[in-house]
Each structure stands twice: as structure tokens, then as C-alpha cells.
Amino acid sequence: MSLTCHFIDNNWERKQVVLNVKAMSGSHTGEYISSMFLSMLKHWDINHDRVVLVLCDSGANMVKGPRLAEIPNLSCSAHTIQLVVTEGINSQRVVVDIIAKLKTCAKHFNHSVLAKQHLKRIQKDLGLPQHSIIQAEPTRWNSTLHMLQRMLEQKPALNIYAGEHGKFATPTADQWDIISNLIETLEPIEEVTLEISKSEASISSVIPSIAVLKMMLQQEGPNTRGIKTLRETMLQSLETRFAKMEETKCLVLATLLDPRYKGHVFFAEDTLSKAKQWIKEEHAIVSEHMKTATTEDQGSDPKQRRVEEEDEELPGPSSLLEQMYANILGAHGTPEESDDDHHISEQLDQYIREPLIDRQAGQPLGWWKQNTSHLHLLAPLARKFLCPPPSSVPSERVFSEIGMIYDKEE
């Protein structure tokens, strides 16, 4: 099990650090995973209140682990989309049969050097790209898409090869049309999957991405012929698996604090009202944490102090003596809580009125770096909620990289 830490530093740059990779033994129960996870945090002196979110795959035991540890958790969006696509493909018999036929074709070429040579000759004669045939892998749904794309590209060559050598049956004309429509449906889903799997991706992209996919699957037209059941199943699966998005504080606040989205068209009216209340609550928590950090700074553990110094401080009592004066003087020394709420609400309204930045070219962290001074109350919240990634892909890459450089000695 790997433990990867994501955070945004004082220069508004996203950082990723692998803190631990630990071998697991015995039964991988939720209780065991919870215990191992907490031991990793303890080793690094990371308190519960410093963990904004734990992201893991969709396995029941992995989901149960953080829940038992009483730490907010979220399932990997990329894994969840994989389940949605698999469920959709398996829901329509004609699609299952087509994919099985294409897998047989791919297997033939991947197991015969002679077959590859014959195919290359045909590709050359037809002026087609001399690409190899791709075989789908069950663990990566987009490999099925890549297989479909390659088959459609090589359709003339495959038809000629099958006519000359036999060995496998190519799709019928109707099946080729379905393959084309299936590709048009799956390509946007792969685009979303790749986007949320990037190292710089934030959970702020989850709600907008799912909203766009739902919109795409609801459309009807010539490109939906033959795969309506598949699209309806995917839509239903998306709605079911992501049903609680607008009830999840981290997702809602990350979307709101991303200057590319701000939740304008993605939130229901009651969700936006709830988000504003969450902003006030989180502002109070962050402010209190920063005030406490200044009074306990000298006596705190060096490692913990080093981490706390990463946070951006807001104006507040600079010493225990000043804190006591503030408590005695009350409204004359510090603003009332209602005033504080008013200020954060005012700043939030000011932020929402700002124009959206470009979704593809815009840099959310760069935007916050430039606007921290006049949005100083919101900036610490943006730093907090924009840092979690939407998928566990960055952590899983650790194992892939190790596998590429490590050879087991027998």
C-alpha cells in the first residue's frame, strides 16, 4: 500500500510526495487497512485534522478503511468511470458480440507472425497506415476503445485478409456502423478519464466532468443507433454512482473555488446556498487553526511546526497576551463573529462576480496566486480544497514505475 501526499505550497504550486510504500500481509480487511493507514500517518506526525481527504480505489475494503479511521474519503473517479463503461458495454448483447468478434480477430494477429506479415502487405497495397492490431485488456476499459478505433481504421485491410485467408469473421456492415457509433460515445469518456488522471488535476473537475458526460449521454441522433441501451445504462450508472456529489463538501467547495467553474451552471440553487454556509464554517476553522498555531508555535513539535508554517496566516492575535486582551475587550478588540461572516460572504460574492477563466488554458492556482491579496479570506480555503486529486492514478504510478526498474532475483 502506498501513501502519497498532495498539497499546494506557499508559491501556489502543486506538490506530490510519496511518504510510504508498505508491504501488506494477511487478509486485506477494512480494519487492517485502517490500522496500516493510521500507522503511516503517525510515523509522519500527521494529525487527523490536517488530512482534508483520503482518495482510494472503489474496493469495498479500501473504502471501509478510511471510514473506520474517521477521515473524509472519496472513491477514485477514474475507477468509478471504468465501472460505468463496463456496465454499459455488458448491458447490450449486440455490443458484447461485436467486441468478442474483434477480440478473436486481434488474437489471431497477435499470435501469428505470418498473419502480421500478410496484413502489412495488404495495408501497403491499400495505402493504409501499417499499424498493428490492438487487443483489449479487461483491466483498462479504454483499451477496448483503442481496439475499436484501430479495427475501424483497418477495416478495408481486415475484410481483404479475411477473404483471402479466412481464420476469423469480420463485422457485418451494420456492425461496423455500431462500432463507429460506439467510438463516438466512448471517446469523450476517455477524454474525461485522461483529464482527471493528470498529475495537475484537482477534484474541482469531478462535478463539471460528470455533468458534461450526462449531457452527452442524454443526446439522441444517428450516432446513437444500435447502442441506445448501452447509453441509457451508462447514464443511469453515472447518476447512481455519482448521486451524492453535491452532498460531498470537498467536491462542492473545490468546484466553487476553482475560477474555471465556480459552480455557476453545475450547482442547484440549494447546493450553492449550502456551499456558502460551508465556506463560512471552513473559514472559521482555518482562522482558529491559524490563531492557535501562532500561540503554540514555540512549543510545538519541530516536524509539526514545519508543516504548519506552510499555511498562509491571517491577521490575528500575535501572542497569548494579545489573545487574552482580545477575549476581554471583545467587540472593541476583534470583530464580532457575525462581522467575520459578513466579510467572508462579501468576499465570496466578489469572487463569484469575477469572470471565469478559460477552462483549458486557464491556471487556477496561478489565478489564486495573483488574486490572494484582495481575496485573502478565501485564498486559504482555495489552497485547502483544490489540492486533492480526483483519481488515485498518481499513487498507482508509483507501482508502475517501480515495476519498470525492479527485477526480482530468483
Side-chain angles (χ1 to χ4, degrees), residues 88-102:
I89 288 174
N90 292 335
S91 69
Q92 193 148 3
R93 183 67 190 178
V94 64
V95 174
V96 174
D97 290 343
I98 289 172
I99 290 175
K101 182 180 285 189
L102 296 181

Side-chain angles (χ1 to χ4, degrees), residues 184-252:
E184 283 196 45
T185 293
L186 295 179
E187 280 179 337
I189 302 177
E190 184 192 34
E191 191 175 337
V192 166
T193 302
L194 294 176
E195 193 169 290
I196 64 176
S197 299
K198 291 178 179 177
S199 57
E200 67 271 18
S202 164
I203 55 168
S204 62
S205 62
V206 174
I207 291 177
S209 295
I210 300 307
V212 168
L213 289 182
K214 286 180 183 178
M215 191 183 305
M216 182 271 294
L217 290 171
Q218 287 168 346
Q219 293 177 342
E220 292 189 9
N223 63 342
T224 66
R225 192 182 68 82
I227 55 170
K228 286 186 178 179
T229 299
L230 175 144
R231 290 169 64 92
E232 289 170 1
T233 302
M234 284 186 181
L235 178 60
Q236 185 178 356
S237 183
L238 269 180
E239 291 172 342
T240 301
R241 295 182 186 278
F242 291 94
K244 296 184 177 180
M245 286 191 306
E246 294 195 18
E247 298 172 23
T248 307
K249 182 192 288 187
C250 281
L251 286 177
V252 171

Side-chain angles (χ1 to χ4, degrees), residues 354-370:
E354 296 266 0
L356 296 176
I357 65 173
D358 185 77
R359 194 190 74 82
Q360 292 183 315
Q363 299 294 327
L365 300 188
W367 187 92
W368 275 106
K369 183 178 181 180
Q370 292 176 355

Side-chain angles (χ1 to χ4, degrees), residues 265-282:
V265 296
F266 303 110
F267 292 157
E269 189 61 36
D270 59 333
T271 303
L272 190 56
S273 301
K274 184 166 55 178
K276 290 181 177 181
Q277 184 57 40
W278 279 339
I279 287 285
K280 292 178 184 177
E281 294 170 2
E282 287 295 326

Side-chain angles (χ1 to χ4, degrees), residues 122-320:
I122 296 171
Q123 290 170 333
K124 186 176 180 180
D125 291 343
L126 294 175
L128 291 173
Q130 295 185 30
H131 293 155
S132 299
I133 300 301
I134 296 174
Q135 176 67 280
E137 298 177 16
T139 55
R140 292 190 300 112
W141 77 261
N142 58 343
S143 66
T144 299
L145 169 61
H146 298 160
M147 179 181 72
L148 295 170
Q149 291 170 325
R150 183 57 53 82
M151 294 291 186
L152 189 60
E153 174 195 85
Q154 298 296 328
K155 172 184 172 182
L158 292 174
N159 285 335
I160 291 175
Y161 181 96
E164 291 180 356
H165 304 280
K167 306 297 183 181
F168 58 84
T170 56
T172 63
D174 284 343
Q175 287 178 329
W176 280 118
D177 288 340
I178 291 174
I179 289 170
S180 178
N181 293 341
L182 188 54
I183 290 171
E184 283 196 45
T185 293
L186 295 179
E187 280 179 337
I189 302 177
E190 184 192 34
E191 191 175 337
V192 166
T193 302
L194 294 176
E195 193 169 290
I196 64 176
S197 299
K198 291 178 179 177
S199 57
E200 67 271 18
S202 164
I203 55 168
S204 62
S205 62
V206 174
I207 291 177
S209 295
I210 300 307
V212 168
L213 289 182
K214 286 180 183 178
M215 191 183 305
M216 182 271 294
L217 290 171
Q218 287 168 346
Q219 293 177 342
E220 292 189 9
N223 63 342
T224 66
R225 192 182 68 82
I227 55 170
K228 286 186 178 179
T229 299
L230 175 144
R231 290 169 64 92
E232 289 170 1
T233 302
M234 284 186 181
L235 178 60
Q236 185 178 356
S237 183
L238 269 180
E239 291 172 342
T240 301
R241 295 182 186 278
F242 291 94
K244 296 184 177 180
M245 286 191 306
E246 294 195 18
E247 298 172 23
T248 307
K249 182 192 288 187
C250 281
L251 286 177
V252 171
L253 294 189
T255 309
L256 181 63
L257 293 169
D258 190 322
R260 296 172 299 177
Y261 307 120
K262 299 186 185 179
H264 278 316
V265 296
F266 303 110
F267 292 157
E269 189 61 36
D270 59 333
T271 303
L272 190 56
S273 301
K274 184 166 55 178
K276 290 181 177 181
Q277 184 57 40
W278 279 339
I279 287 285
K280 292 178 184 177
E281 294 170 2
E282 287 295 326
H283 169 65
I285 293 170
V286 170
S287 297
E288 187 60 35
H289 172 73
M290 290 178 175
K291 291 175 183 177
T292 304
T294 60
T295 60
E296 297 180 351
D297 187 55
Q298 295 302 319
S300 63
D301 179 82
K303 276 196 284 187
Q304 182 67 23
R305 185 167 69 249
R306 185 178 67 246
V307 176
E308 288 173 347
E309 285 172 353
E310 294 289 327
D311 286 331
E312 181 178 57
E313 294 189 9
L314 298 180
S318 58
S319 67
L320 182 59

Side-chain angles (χ1 to χ4, degrees), residues 50-66:
R50 296 200 66 83
V51 181
V52 178
L53 183 70
V54 174
L55 199 79
C56 51
D57 64 37
S58 303
N61 56 344
M62 290 302 297
V63 172
K64 186 178 179 182

